[in-house]
């Protein structure tokens, strides 16, 4: 519905908060190059922030993901080789911020994609600040902190999800939780442990947030229904693939488990089954 972002052909328009101001980020992809534009309400000159803007766009487009290494390793694999070759260059697009990715993961827990999208839309409409272009900017934690549990419940959040999101915001504000992009497995483990300590956040939520907000490609998506369904198709298996079977199968592709999961997702949309 174009509430906060519009993807049309080779152009992405997205409302974001940039240094506490509403901004419209535009990315246009032409001839393997991405042109970036940022329109900030208030007339701020962002020319001095070129590097930060370039970093943001590279992050969102998944350009930090070393998919060429992955493809060179698995393009001849007996099970996924043909899939990887057919979908060469596949990257996992990222949310603009780790907070947005975690927010989206909390919303999407144990409900259908269409239901999650509906809740997300109502959430943005209720909390987001409007940019002069008309698009709403995805709320940051400071804006969400102004919400009550009741406000979030009206958007469609369950009590558990509302409390989890509000706790995340409070922990970020107090400095206890830092949603920095972790470096190395120790950093990932520390962040994972911190998130799992929050009531209402489980391993699926953490893995999905890492995948969509931190460019982390080794999270296991064995709990995802679509991953298991598409794995069943890939393996030509009559019986459904259990979460345990999917977890064991994906473990053999570490440190690329999440990227393999993304190829399984894409397999459904590209094959049309």
């Amino acid at each position: 519905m174009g509430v906060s972002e519009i993807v049309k052909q080779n152009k992405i328009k997205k409302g974001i908060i940039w240094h506490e101001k509403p901004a419209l980020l535009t990315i246009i992809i032409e001839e393997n190059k991405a042109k970036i534009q940022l329109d900030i309400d208030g007339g701020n000159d962002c020319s001095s922030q070129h590097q930060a803007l370039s970093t943001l766009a590279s992050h969102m487009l998944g350009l930090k993901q070393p998919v060429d290494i992955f493809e060179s390793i698995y393009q001849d694999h007996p099970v996924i080789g043909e899939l990887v070759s057919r979908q060469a260059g596949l990257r996992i697009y990222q949310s603009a911020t780790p907070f947005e990715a975690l927010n989206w993961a909390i919303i999407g827990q144990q409900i259908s994609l269409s239901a999650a999208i509906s809740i997300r839309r109502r959430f943005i409409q209720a909390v987001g600040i409007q940019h002069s272009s008309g698009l709403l900017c995805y709320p940051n934690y400071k804006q969400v902190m102004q919400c009550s549990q009741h406000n979030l419940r009206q958007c469609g959040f369950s009590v558990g999800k509302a409390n989890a999101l509000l706790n995340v915001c409070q922990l970020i504000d107090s400095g206890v939780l830092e949603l920095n992009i972790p470096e190395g497995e120790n950093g990932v483990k520390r962040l994972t442990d911190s998130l799992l300590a929050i009531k209402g956040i489980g391993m699926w939520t953490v893995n999905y947030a890492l995948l969509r907000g931190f460019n982390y490609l080794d999270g296991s998506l064995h709990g995802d229904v679509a991953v298991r369904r598409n794995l069943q198709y890939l393996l030509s298996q009559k019986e459904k693939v259990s979460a345990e079977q999917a977890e064991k199968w994906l473990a053999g592709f570490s440190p690329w488990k999440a990227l393999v999961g993304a190829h399984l997702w894409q397999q459904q949309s590209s094959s049309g089954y």
Side-chain angles (χ1 to χ4, degrees):
M1 293 175 66
V3 171
S4 67
E5 54 193 49
I6 298 172
V7 180
K8 191 173 183 180
Q9 296 180 332
N10 64 332
K11 183 185 296 185
I12 303 166
K13 287 183 175 289
K14 180 176 177 65
I16 64 173
I17 298 297
W18 184 266
H19 295 289
E20 307 305 322
K21 291 184 178 293
L24 176 66
L25 175 70
T26 303
I27 304 176
I28 303 173
I29 301 174
E30 293 178 328
E31 298 178 350
N32 291 323
K33 292 184 179 180
K35 179 182 177 182
I36 315 157
Q37 180 177 325
L38 189 68
D39 297 304
I40 307 171
D41 280 353
N44 295 55
D45 179 13
C46 65
S47 59
S48 62
Q49 303 171 50
H50 177 272
Q51 185 57 50
L53 184 57
S54 178
T55 298
L56 172 61
S58 295
H59 162 75
M60 290 179 63
L61 294 171
L63 299 182
K64 298 180 179 182
Q65 300 165 17
V67 298
D68 53 333
I69 298 175
F70 166 78
E71 290 169 4
S72 68
I73 295 172
Y74 290 109
Q75 61 186 356
D76 297 321
H77 189 275
V79 179
I80 67 169
E82 195 240 333
L83 181 65
V84 170
S85 297
R86 187 171 70 245
Q87 299 176 165
L90 178 67
R91 299 173 186 274
I92 302 168
Y93 67 84
Q94 301 290 293
S95 297
T97 66
F99 175 75
E100 180 181 343
L102 179 57
N103 189 174
W104 174 229
I106 290 172
I107 289 173
Q109 292 173 162
Q110 299 179 324
I111 59 175
S112 70
L113 180 60
S114 60
I117 289 172
S118 178
I119 293 171
R120 181 178 185 264
R121 182 182 299 120
R122 294 199 297 271
F123 167 73
I124 295 170
Q125 289 172 323
V127 187
I129 298 174
Q130 190 171 48
H131 180 262
S132 56
S133 65
L135 286 181
L136 293 168
C137 302
Y138 200 95
N140 60 23
Y141 79 89
K142 293 181 180 179
Q143 291 155 355
V144 179
M145 279 186 67
Q146 306 307 311
C147 295
S148 65
Q149 182 199 95
H150 175 70
N151 296 145
L152 295 178
R153 292 278 287 142
Q154 287 188 314
C155 297
F157 282 71
S158 66
V159 172
K161 290 181 181 182
N163 288 338
L165 180 57
L166 292 174
N167 285 338
V168 164
C169 295
Q170 290 162 4
L171 290 170
I172 293 173
D173 190 61
S174 66
V176 173
L177 178 64
E178 295 185 5
L179 294 184
N180 295 326
I181 296 177
E183 295 182 6
E185 287 303 313
N186 288 335
V188 172
K189 186 178 186 307
R190 286 195 300 272
L191 179 58
T192 296
D193 290 344
S194 296
L195 291 174
L196 289 176
I198 301 170
K199 186 177 180 180
I201 293 181
M203 202 62 225
W204 182 90
T205 306
V206 173
N207 277 328
Y208 195 84
L210 287 170
L211 172 69
R212 290 295 194 194
F214 296 85
N215 282 291
Y216 183 63
L217 302 180
D218 198 32
S220 181
L221 300 174
H222 58 276
D224 189 277
V225 174
V227 167
R228 299 206 306 270
R229 182 178 62 244
N230 297 346
L231 178 57
Q232 177 188 348
Y233 177 85
L234 182 68
L235 298 177
S236 300
Q237 182 173 303
K238 290 184 178 180
E239 63 275 10
K240 291 183 178 181
V241 172
S242 66
E244 293 75 15
Q245 182 187 355
E247 183 177 21
K248 184 177 180 180
W249 186 84
L250 286 167
F253 295 97
S254 185
W256 311 97
K257 297 193 295 287
L259 188 54
V260 173
H263 273 275
L264 289 171
W265 276 333
Q266 184 64 19
Q267 171 185 287
Q268 177 174 349
S269 59
S270 61
S271 63
Y273 75 86

